[in-house]
Amino acid sequence: MIGIINYGAGNIFSLTAALDRQHISYEMVASSADFDKYDHFIIPGVGHAGAAMQKLEESGMADAIKGIDKPVLGICVGMQLMTEFSEEGNSDLLGITPVKTLLFTSDLKVKVPHMGWNRVYSQSENSLFNGIQDGSYFYFVHSYFIEFNSTFTVAFADYGLKFSAAFSKNNFYGVQFHPEKSGEAGEQLLKNFSEL
Amino acid sequence: MVSKRIIPCLDVKDGRTVKGVNFVNLRDAGDPVELAWQYSRQGADELVFLDITATNERRKTMVELVKSVARQVNIPFTIGGGINELSDADVLLNSGADKISINSAAVRNPDLINELAAAFGKQFVVIAIDTKYVNGKNLVHLNGGRITTELETEQWIKEVEDRGAGEILLTSMDHDGTKAGFDTNLLKKINQTLSIPLIASGGAGCMQHFADIFLEANVDAALAASVFHYGEILIPDLKRELRKQNIEVRL
């Protein structure tokens, strides 16, 4: 059973719909006291990373998340929350992965937000991408990105520069794209995560 | 780089699509959810639903539609029509819509753009603009082109971008329905000054029109309705043709 960390940050209807389509069971988790009930966790998130971090802290789950030893998947802003710091609101975040979340600046000569389907390439072998062809398209919507890191980046995309499309550190995983909106490749990724 | 997007647009009234659609193997051509599913299977990158319901029940039917689409379709979609305040957008977002599109509500109350961007993030806010060339100027029009405003299109686009729009959906009324091609000159001019994504709309008649607008104006996405609904252009064929012309598309 997947526990979806419910800290009041945005739309999770599409995520739960995608899990339903894959017959993956889930429940909402609003308190760290319930963490023992679940064998997987998803941290969703849209909008402002700083504001999301504040909500996560107010929910009382922020510190407990760092201690989870089961697979955890952060999606979009949920992934950014796992980094040390975001330029969005100059916010200190969970610091699970020692990388930073940065803004796509104007000198990159790309439109912001990065919105649409972009190819994702493997940087290192990871079971999250089992059965997904290298270079598959995933759907992205974001203005801030996680810096590429040769240790933690497991898949990258290119948008003015190479950035982390997916990372992992121990049992923690993050994807910058929206698997719940990324067609069959995204559904496969959710399925892979549920089977970790 | 991010690929160029192909976006079919569905007009919806009272929860049903209004323009006839002649796909094969369609059980119910009026069911927007089935159509959306078909388009996603064909390789559409995104969908736009324009709700033209004019009854008091509209909000309820819109929410039901959005939920049904989100349950069954695994690509992003935008919903437009009848969104006048924050609470309208909030309920649609929480029902699974990825973006909302506002048109005349933004003209009537430009602060709404700032409020929506602050509340939900700019990526959620698409500003739809209908433009028409009148007496030497490109002017913003409302109500499907029936009302002419004094707003100049280029200035209005700058303003909505400053206010927090995440994307522009620009429909050329001069080209819409002509099937003679997109308004390349205008779209190119607008796109050169824009730092957010631009969706071209109005005038698509054949596959080369899509290639032209991507190659000449470098827009981020192209939207069309009838050429897709009537099966005149099949999305897989279109994408193969675009790729043949070295345009990056998701296949």
Side-chain angles (χ1 to χ4, degrees), chain A residues 109-112 159, chain B residues 4-5 153-154 157-158 161 167-170 183-200 212-221:
Chain A
K109 307 255 182 273
V110 290
K111 289 184 174 184
V112 182
Y159 192 63
Chain B
K4 300 297 186 189
R5 286 172 279 154
T153 302
E154 291 91 330
I157 288 176
K158 273 204 180 66
E161 187 181 1
E167 190 165 49
I168 304 289
L169 166 54
L170 187 65
D183 193 342
T184 309
N185 290 336
L186 177 65
L187 285 156
K188 184 177 178 180
K189 195 167 90 180
I190 301 273
N191 199 34
Q192 280 165 346
T193 63
L194 204 60
S195 61
I196 55 175
L198 176 62
I199 305 170
D212 290 343
I213 199 62
F214 289 130
L215 291 170
E216 289 170 30
N218 196 27
V219 296
D220 301 277

Coordinates of all heavy atoms in Angstrom, one line a residue, chain A residues 109-112 159, chain B residues 4-5 153-154 157-158 161 167-170 183-200 212-221:
Chain A
K109 N 18.2 31.2 -22.6 CA 17.4 31.5 -23.9 C 16.3 30.4 -24.1 O 16.1 29.9 -25.2 CB 18.3 31.5 -25.1 CG 19.5 32.5 -25.0 CD 19.2 33.8 -25.8 CE 20.3 34.8 -25.7 NZ 20.3 35.7 -24.6
V110 N 15.7 30.0 -23.0 CA 14.5 29.1 -23.2 C 13.3 29.7 -22.5 O 13.4 30.6 -21.7 CB 14.8 27.7 -22.5 CG1 15.9 26.9 -23.2 CG2 15.2 27.9 -21.0
K111 N 12.1 29.3 -23.0 CA 10.9 29.8 -22.4 C 10.7 29.2 -21.1 O 11.0 28.0 -20.9 CB 9.8 29.5 -23.4 CG 9.8 30.4 -24.6 CD 8.6 30.1 -25.4 CE 8.6 31.1 -26.6 NZ 7.3 30.9 -27.4
V112 N 10.2 30.0 -20.1 CA 9.9 29.5 -18.8 C 8.4 29.8 -18.5 O 8.0 30.9 -18.7 CB 10.8 30.2 -17.8 CG1 10.5 29.6 -16.4 CG2 12.3 29.9 -18.1
Y159 N 17.2 21.1 -21.4 CA 16.3 22.3 -21.7 C 17.2 23.5 -21.4 O 17.2 24.1 -20.3 CB 15.1 22.3 -20.8 CG 14.0 23.3 -21.3 CD1 13.4 23.2 -22.5 CD2 13.7 24.4 -20.5 CE1 12.5 24.1 -23.0 CE2 12.7 25.4 -20.9 CZ 12.2 25.2 -22.2 OH 11.2 26.1 -22.6
Chain B
K4 N 7.6 19.9 -30.0 CA 6.4 20.7 -30.4 C 5.2 19.9 -30.1 O 5.1 18.7 -30.4 CB 6.6 21.1 -31.9 CG 7.8 21.8 -32.2 CD 7.9 23.2 -31.5 CE 9.1 24.0 -32.0 NZ 9.3 25.2 -31.2
R5 N 4.2 20.6 -29.6 CA 2.9 19.9 -29.2 C 1.8 20.1 -30.2 O 1.6 21.1 -30.8 CB 2.4 20.5 -27.8 CG 3.2 20.1 -26.6 CD 2.8 20.9 -25.4 NE 3.4 22.2 -25.4 CZ 2.9 23.3 -24.7 NH1 1.7 23.2 -24.1 NH2 3.5 24.4 -24.7
T153 N -3.5 43.7 -29.6 CA -3.1 42.3 -29.2 C -1.7 42.3 -28.6 O -1.5 41.6 -27.6 CB -3.3 41.4 -30.5 OG1 -4.6 41.5 -30.9 CG2 -2.9 40.0 -30.1
E154 N -0.7 42.9 -29.3 CA 0.7 42.8 -28.9 C 0.8 43.4 -27.4 O 1.5 42.8 -26.6 CB 1.6 43.6 -29.8 CG 1.7 42.9 -31.2 CD 0.7 43.4 -32.2 OE1 -0.4 43.8 -31.8 OE2 1.1 43.5 -33.4
I157 N -0.8 41.1 -24.8 CA 0.0 39.9 -24.6 C 1.2 40.3 -23.6 O 1.4 39.5 -22.7 CB 0.6 39.3 -25.9 CG1 -0.6 38.6 -26.6 CG2 1.7 38.3 -25.6 CD1 -0.2 38.1 -28.0
K158 N 1.8 41.4 -23.8 CA 2.8 41.9 -22.9 C 2.3 42.0 -21.5 O 2.9 41.6 -20.5 CB 3.4 43.2 -23.3 CG 4.5 43.1 -24.3 CD 5.4 44.3 -24.3 CE 6.5 44.2 -25.3 NZ 6.0 44.1 -26.7
E161 N 1.5 38.6 -19.8 CA 2.8 37.9 -19.5 C 3.3 38.6 -18.2 O 3.7 37.8 -17.3 CB 3.8 38.1 -20.6 CG 5.0 37.3 -20.4 CD 6.1 37.4 -21.5 OE1 5.8 38.2 -22.4 OE2 7.1 36.8 -21.4
E167 N 1.1 30.8 -20.3 CA 1.1 30.4 -21.7 C 0.0 31.2 -22.4 O -0.9 31.6 -21.8 CB 0.7 28.9 -21.8 CG 0.8 28.2 -23.1 CD 0.8 26.7 -23.1 OE1 -0.1 26.2 -22.4 OE2 1.7 26.1 -23.6
I168 N 0.3 31.4 -23.7 CA -0.7 32.2 -24.6 C -1.3 31.2 -25.6 O -0.5 30.6 -26.3 CB 0.0 33.4 -25.3 CG1 0.7 34.3 -24.3 CG2 -1.0 34.1 -26.1 CD1 -0.2 35.1 -23.4
L169 N -2.6 31.2 -25.7 CA -3.3 30.5 -26.8 C -3.8 31.6 -27.7 O -4.8 32.3 -27.4 CB -4.4 29.7 -26.2 CG -5.5 29.1 -27.2 CD1 -4.8 28.4 -28.4 CD2 -6.4 28.2 -26.5
L170 N -3.2 31.8 -28.9 CA -3.6 32.9 -29.8 C -4.3 32.4 -31.0 O -3.8 31.7 -31.8 CB -2.3 33.7 -30.2 CG -2.6 35.0 -31.0 CD1 -3.3 36.0 -30.1 CD2 -1.2 35.6 -31.5
D183 N -1.7 32.1 -39.0 CA -1.3 33.4 -39.3 C 0.2 33.6 -38.9 O 0.6 34.1 -37.9 CB -2.1 34.4 -38.4 CG -2.0 35.8 -38.8 OD1 -1.0 36.2 -39.5 OD2 -2.8 36.6 -38.4
T184 N 1.0 33.1 -39.9 CA 2.5 33.0 -39.6 C 3.1 34.3 -39.2 O 3.9 34.4 -38.3 CB 3.2 32.4 -40.9 OG1 2.5 31.3 -41.3 CG2 4.6 32.1 -40.5
N185 N 2.8 35.4 -40.0 CA 3.4 36.7 -39.7 C 3.2 37.2 -38.3 O 4.1 37.5 -37.6 CB 2.9 37.7 -40.7 CG 3.5 37.5 -42.1 OD1 4.5 36.8 -42.3 ND2 2.7 38.0 -43.1
L186 N 1.9 37.1 -37.9 CA 1.6 37.6 -36.6 C 2.2 36.7 -35.5 O 2.8 37.2 -34.5 CB 0.0 37.7 -36.4 CG -0.4 38.1 -35.0 CD1 -0.1 39.5 -34.8 CD2 -2.0 37.9 -34.9
L187 N 2.0 35.4 -35.7 CA 2.5 34.5 -34.6 C 4.1 34.6 -34.5 O 4.6 34.5 -33.4 CB 2.1 33.1 -35.0 CG 0.6 32.8 -34.7 CD1 0.1 31.7 -35.6 CD2 0.4 32.5 -33.2
K188 N 4.7 34.8 -35.6 CA 6.2 34.9 -35.6 C 6.6 36.2 -34.8 O 7.5 36.2 -34.0 CB 6.7 35.0 -37.0 CG 8.2 35.0 -37.1 CD 8.7 35.0 -38.5 CE 10.2 35.0 -38.6 NZ 10.7 35.0 -40.0
K189 N 5.9 37.3 -35.2 CA 6.2 38.6 -34.5 C 6.0 38.5 -33.0 O 6.8 38.9 -32.2 CB 5.3 39.6 -35.1 CG 5.7 41.1 -34.8 CD 5.0 42.1 -35.7 CE 3.7 42.5 -35.0 NZ 3.0 43.5 -35.8
I190 N 4.8 37.9 -32.6 CA 4.5 37.8 -31.2 C 5.5 36.8 -30.5 O 6.0 37.1 -29.4 CB 3.1 37.1 -31.0 CG1 2.0 38.0 -31.7 CG2 2.8 36.8 -29.6 CD1 1.5 39.1 -30.9
N191 N 5.8 35.7 -31.2 CA 6.7 34.7 -30.5 C 8.1 35.3 -30.2 O 8.7 34.9 -29.3 CB 6.8 33.5 -31.4 CG 7.2 32.3 -30.6 OD1 6.9 32.1 -29.4 ND2 8.0 31.4 -31.2
Q192 N 8.6 36.2 -31.1 CA 9.9 36.7 -30.9 C 10.1 37.5 -29.6 O 11.2 37.6 -29.1 CB 10.3 37.6 -32.1 CG 10.8 36.7 -33.3 CD 10.8 37.5 -34.6 OE1 10.3 38.6 -34.7 NE2 11.5 36.9 -35.6
T193 N 9.0 38.1 -29.2 CA 9.0 38.9 -28.0 C 8.6 38.2 -26.7 O 8.6 38.8 -25.6 CB 8.1 40.2 -28.1 OG1 6.8 39.7 -28.2 CG2 8.5 40.9 -29.4
L194 N 8.2 36.9 -26.9 CA 7.5 36.3 -25.8 C 8.5 35.3 -25.0 O 9.3 34.6 -25.6 CB 6.4 35.4 -26.4 CG 5.2 35.1 -25.5 CD1 4.5 36.3 -25.0 CD2 4.2 34.2 -26.3
S195 N 8.4 35.3 -23.7 CA 9.3 34.4 -22.9 C 8.5 33.3 -22.3 O 9.0 32.5 -21.5 CB 10.1 35.2 -21.9 OG 9.2 35.8 -21.0
I196 N 7.2 33.1 -22.6 CA 6.4 32.0 -22.2 C 5.9 31.3 -23.4 O 5.9 31.8 -24.5 CB 5.2 32.4 -21.3 CG1 4.4 33.5 -22.0 CG2 5.7 33.0 -19.9 CD1 3.1 33.9 -21.3
P197 N 5.5 30.0 -23.3 CA 5.1 29.2 -24.5 C 3.9 29.9 -25.2 O 3.0 30.5 -24.6 CB 4.7 27.9 -23.9 CG 5.4 27.8 -22.6 CD 5.5 29.2 -22.1
L198 N 3.9 29.7 -26.5 CA 2.8 30.2 -27.4 C 2.2 29.0 -28.2 O 2.8 28.3 -28.8 CB 3.4 31.2 -28.4 CG 2.5 31.8 -29.4 CD1 1.3 32.6 -28.8 CD2 3.2 32.7 -30.4
I199 N 0.8 29.0 -28.1 CA 0.1 28.0 -28.9 C -0.6 28.7 -30.0 O -1.3 29.7 -29.8 CB -1.1 27.3 -28.0 CG1 -0.5 26.7 -26.7 CG2 -1.8 26.3 -28.8 CD1 -1.6 26.3 -25.7
A200 N -0.3 28.2 -31.3 CA -0.9 28.8 -32.5 C -2.3 28.2 -32.7 O -2.4 27.0 -32.6 CB 0.0 28.6 -33.7
D212 N 4.8 24.5 -41.4 CA 5.1 25.9 -41.7 C 5.1 26.7 -40.4 O 6.1 27.5 -40.2 CB 4.1 26.5 -42.6 CG 4.2 25.9 -44.0 OD1 5.3 25.3 -44.3 OD2 3.3 26.1 -44.8
I213 N 4.1 26.5 -39.5 CA 4.1 27.4 -38.3 C 5.2 27.0 -37.4 O 5.7 27.9 -36.7 CB 2.6 27.3 -37.7 CG1 2.4 28.6 -36.8 CG2 2.4 26.1 -36.9 CD1 2.5 29.9 -37.5
F214 N 5.5 25.8 -37.3 CA 6.7 25.4 -36.4 C 8.0 25.9 -37.0 O 8.8 26.4 -36.3 CB 6.7 23.9 -36.2 CG 5.6 23.4 -35.3 CD1 4.9 22.3 -35.7 CD2 5.3 24.0 -34.1 CE1 3.8 21.8 -34.9 CE2 4.3 23.5 -33.3 CZ 3.6 22.4 -33.7
L215 N 8.2 25.7 -38.3 CA 9.4 26.1 -38.9 C 9.6 27.6 -39.0 O 10.7 28.1 -38.8 CB 9.5 25.5 -40.3 CG 9.7 23.9 -40.4 CD1 9.5 23.4 -41.8 CD2 11.0 23.5 -39.8
E216 N 8.5 28.3 -39.3 CA 8.7 29.7 -39.6 C 8.4 30.6 -38.4 O 9.1 31.6 -38.2 CB 7.7 30.1 -40.7 CG 8.1 29.6 -42.1 CD 7.1 29.8 -43.2 OE1 6.3 30.7 -43.1 OE2 7.0 28.9 -44.1
A217 N 7.5 30.2 -37.5 CA 7.3 31.0 -36.3 C 7.9 30.4 -35.1 O 7.9 31.1 -34.0 CB 5.8 31.3 -36.2
N218 N 8.3 29.2 -35.1 CA 8.9 28.5 -34.0 C 7.9 28.5 -32.7 O 8.4 28.5 -31.6 CB 10.2 29.1 -33.6 CG 11.1 28.2 -32.7 OD1 10.9 26.9 -32.8 ND2 11.9 28.8 -31.9
V219 N 6.6 28.5 -33.0 CA 5.7 28.4 -31.8 C 5.9 27.1 -31.1 O 6.5 26.1 -31.6 CB 4.2 28.5 -32.3 CG1 4.0 29.9 -32.9 CG2 3.8 27.4 -33.2
D220 N 5.4 27.0 -29.9 CA 5.6 25.8 -29.0 C 4.6 24.7 -29.3 O 4.8 23.6 -29.0 CB 5.6 26.3 -27.6 CG 6.6 27.3 -27.3 OD1 7.8 26.9 -27.1 OD2 6.3 28.5 -27.4
A221 N 3.4 25.1 -29.7 CA 2.3 24.2 -29.9 C 1.4 24.7 -31.0 O 1.3 25.9 -31.3 CB 1.6 24.0 -28.6

